Amino acid sequence: MKIAYLGPKGSFSHHVVQTAFPKEELQAFANITDVIKAYEQGLVDYSVVPVENSIEGSVHESLDYLFHQARIQAVAEIVQPIHQQLMVVPGQSKIEKIFSHPQALAQGKKFIDKHYPEAQIEVTASTAYAARFISEHPDQPYAAIAPKSSAEEYGLELIAEDIQEMEANFTRFWVLGADIPKIPLNSQAEKMSLALTLPDNLPGALYKALSTFAWRGIDLTKIESRPLKTALGEYFFIIDVDYSDKELVHFARQELEAIGIQHKILGTYPIFTITDIEKESQ
């Protein structure tokens, strides 16, 4: 079985697929869109992509592609604890540029502003790519923000640990595929993610959409708006709902259709959580 992930080796995505699919063939891709397309093109059996970080919010590249272009659903969710580290080539003491993925840079912004206010910020496709890049330029005054696994993979030295703004930092990853894979982690809950498109001529459309779940006592764990990319001020809404009572959710979806609110299922999935080994070892 082949699993696509956002590479290169040493990324958070790499750690997730190693944990969830320890015996399968793992294939790295350069960006999230290519990871999803790998499944669409039949190159892999599952694709694993990040969808939301607890500090920086949704990963728009993942959600927008899944809504606008893909006909794939999430079949499992894996929650990964995130620890961001600042690393350099061993012996490098001068830092003029800091490389990383936009979300990692945002998570470590306060630390960078305090300790390296003059450093230039360079965006990369992934944290691991940033680590690999600086390892290939050992004579340059570069640093990267990436996980510890990247430092180990590319022979880098940690000069500051856990620089993320908040200790409770987690990223949700979706496993995209046709059915639920066997994952050697404990599952504690199940959710459904929906993308709602509201009709223009229905006053209070969002209120009515959410009411279909509220009066049935169905918990919503997320609501977010994203541009429809049709006209200014037009949006679709992503909601995550508790799927423990499947029949109630089914009736809520029927009511949505009855009042003219279109919806696309982005996924129905069990939630798996990776143990925070770094926190336990402290």
Side-chain angles (χ1 to χ4, degrees):
M1 191 162 65
K2 298 179 180 179
I3 314 297
Y5 71 96
L6 177 61
K9 291 181 178 180
S11 65
F12 288 112
S13 295
H14 184 224
H15 181 258
V16 167
V17 295
Q18 281 184 312
T19 304
F21 302 96
K23 297 181 180 180
E24 308 303 337
E25 181 181 345
L26 309 179
Q27 294 189 2
F29 290 84
N31 57 67
I32 290 172
T33 298
D34 286 347
V35 174
I36 301 174
K37 285 183 176 180
Y39 177 81
E40 291 181 312
Q41 296 168 357
L43 302 177
V44 297
D45 299 283
Y46 292 96
S47 288
V48 178
V49 294
V51 292
E52 185 179 24
N53 176 261
S54 58
I55 296 177
E56 286 304 307
S58 293
V59 180
H60 296 150
E61 184 179 355
S62 297
L63 295 176
D64 286 354
Y65 189 92
L66 290 173
F67 173 75
H68 289 287
Q69 301 181 59
R71 294 185 178 180
I72 316 169
Q73 292 189 14
V75 293
E77 177 174 292
I78 303 170
V79 180
Q80 164 72 53
I82 301 296
H83 297 275
Q84 302 287 8
Q85 324 295 342
L86 186 66
M87 56 193 68
V88 296
V89 172
Q92 179 63 263
S93 58
K94 189 177 181 181
I95 296 177
E96 295 180 359
K97 287 187 179 181
I98 299 176
F99 295 78
S100 197
H101 185 272
Q103 291 235 343
L105 291 167
Q107 292 163 25
K109 185 177 186 302
K110 285 186 177 180
F111 180 90
I112 295 171
D113 290 345
K114 180 179 179 180
H115 297 279
Y116 300 97
E118 303 300 323
Q120 296 181 38
I121 301 302
E122 297 287 344
V123 172
T124 59
S126 73
T127 53
Y129 179 86
R132 187 177 72 181
F133 179 82
I134 71 167
S135 73
E136 295 171 348
H137 298 80
D139 298 330
Q140 297 299 317
Y142 294 163
I145 299 176
K148 283 185 178 179
S149 55
S150 290
E152 296 167 358
E153 182 73 29
Y154 301 107
L156 301 175
E157 175 186 354
L158 301 184
I159 58 172
E161 299 187 34
D162 295 346
I163 67 170
Q164 66 275 359
E165 293 183 16
M166 298 174 62
E167 181 179 352
N169 188 10
F170 299 88
T171 295
R172 300 167 58 199
F173 291 81
W174 278 356
V175 180
L176 308 174
D179 47 36
I180 301 174
K182 292 183 179 179
I183 294 177
L185 297 168
N186 293 325
S187 173
Q188 298 178 339
E190 192 169 359
K191 288 194 299 186
M192 174 182 282
S193 292
L194 301 170
L196 309 181
T197 306
L198 308 181
D200 294 334
N201 59 349
L202 181 63
L206 180 58
Y207 169 79
K208 292 176 181 179
L210 300 182
S211 294
T212 64
F213 299 95
W215 76 263
R216 290 182 171 88
I218 301 171
D219 287 338
L220 299 184
T221 60
K222 172 183 177 176
I223 177 169
E224 177 185 4
S225 63
R226 291 291 302 147
L228 264 176
K229 301 183 180 180
T230 52
L232 185 65
E234 294 185 352
Y235 302 90
F236 69 95
F237 293 84
I238 299 170
I239 62 171
D240 291 349
V241 305
D242 180 357
Y243 199 50
S244 57
D245 193 324
K246 296 176 176 56
E247 188 175 24
L248 277 183
V249 175
H250 174 71
F251 289 142
R253 290 177 53 216
Q254 285 186 323
E255 185 175 342
L256 288 175
E257 295 175 357
I259 60 179
I261 296 175
Q262 298 179 355
H263 66 276
K264 178 180 182 179
I265 299 176
L266 299 179
T268 303
Y269 47 86
I271 303 168
F272 302 89
T273 301
I274 296 176
T275 302
D276 193 347
I277 298 176
E278 293 186 28
K279 189 173 181 180
E280 286 188 349
S281 63
Q282 293 176 353

